Amino acid sequence: MKKRESEKEAWETPSLEWVHRVRRERQLERAGRPPRPLSRKESEKLAKMYGLKLARRTPVGR
């Protein structure tokens, strides 16, 4: 294995950057209201916007 140069590596990947940006935007939109989970439709829209796939729920007792 080759040694990697830590100075050349980025600390945050682009995927983490958008997660933090979206989180900050959502916090500003809430403006003091308690957080609530996104609906399935909203989650899918956000995932599609960033080219991601959502994990599928598995049935309980599997």
Side-chain angles (χ1 to χ4, degrees), residues 13-51:
T13 63
S15 61
L16 284 179
E17 290 172 11
W18 80 263
V19 168
H20 293 304
R21 181 171 42 81
V22 169
R23 182 174 169 265
R24 281 190 296 270
E25 289 172 3
R26 299 285 177 175
Q27 284 177 335
L28 289 174
E29 287 174 11
R30 280 198 315 265
R33 294 179 308 208
R36 63 168 179 79
L38 290 176
S39 69
R40 183 73 182 178
K41 193 174 185 178
E42 288 175 311
S43 299
E44 288 173 351
K45 180 183 171 190
L46 190 61
K48 186 177 181 182
M49 191 164 67
Y50 290 101

Side-chain angles (χ1 to χ4, degrees), residues 1-5 9:
M1 285 179 41
K2 293 182 180 179
K3 284 189 176 181
R4 295 195 284 185
E5 295 182 30
E9 292 181 24

